[in-house]
Amino acid sequence: MTPSTRLITLLSLALSTFSAVASANTIAISAPPEEPLPKRLEFDVGMLVGGMNMGTTRADATGLAVSTGLRVGELSILGELDYFGVRAIER
């Protein structure tokens, strides 16, 4: 193959490729917008009750647990507050 024949072959191959791409059908559709991620506010309140023995001291504990958070899709941002009150009684 001479260089001019090689060049003509490459040009004809390139032109046939471009014409095939240019003649491909293009379809445009209007897709509905994606739905926003579900959002949810969470709020929990609970009571904590327990007891313990340490040596001769017995202690009763009561408390309050509060948690709140925001959930957006799979992401959660949570905050929690626990308050305990311990009342010790000597035996």
Side-chain angles (χ1 to χ4, degrees):
M1 242 183 188
T2 63
S4 62
T5 310
R6 218 179 280 164
L7 182 62
I8 291 172
T9 305
L10 286 174
L11 283 175
S12 63
L13 181 62
L15 288 175
S16 65
T17 304
F18 290 136
S19 64
V21 171
S23 66
N25 292 333
T26 305
I27 299 173
I29 61 169
S30 61
E34 294 182 14
E35 293 187 23
L37 293 173
K39 295 177 186 172
R40 183 170 73 196
L41 182 64
E42 297 179 351
F43 185 75
D44 299 318
V45 177
M47 182 176 178
L48 305 169
V49 179
M52 67 172 211
N53 289 325
M54 182 180 284
T56 60
T57 304
R58 186 186 78 188
D60 296 325
T62 58
L64 177 69
V66 178
S67 64
T68 185
L70 177 65
R71 186 180 301 258
V72 179
E74 298 293 322
L75 176 68
S76 295
I77 301 171
L78 300 173
E80 185 173 317
L81 172 70
D82 293 329
Y83 172 76
F84 294 103
V86 178
R87 181 177 53 130
I89 301 170
E90 189 71 32
R91 287 193 229 174

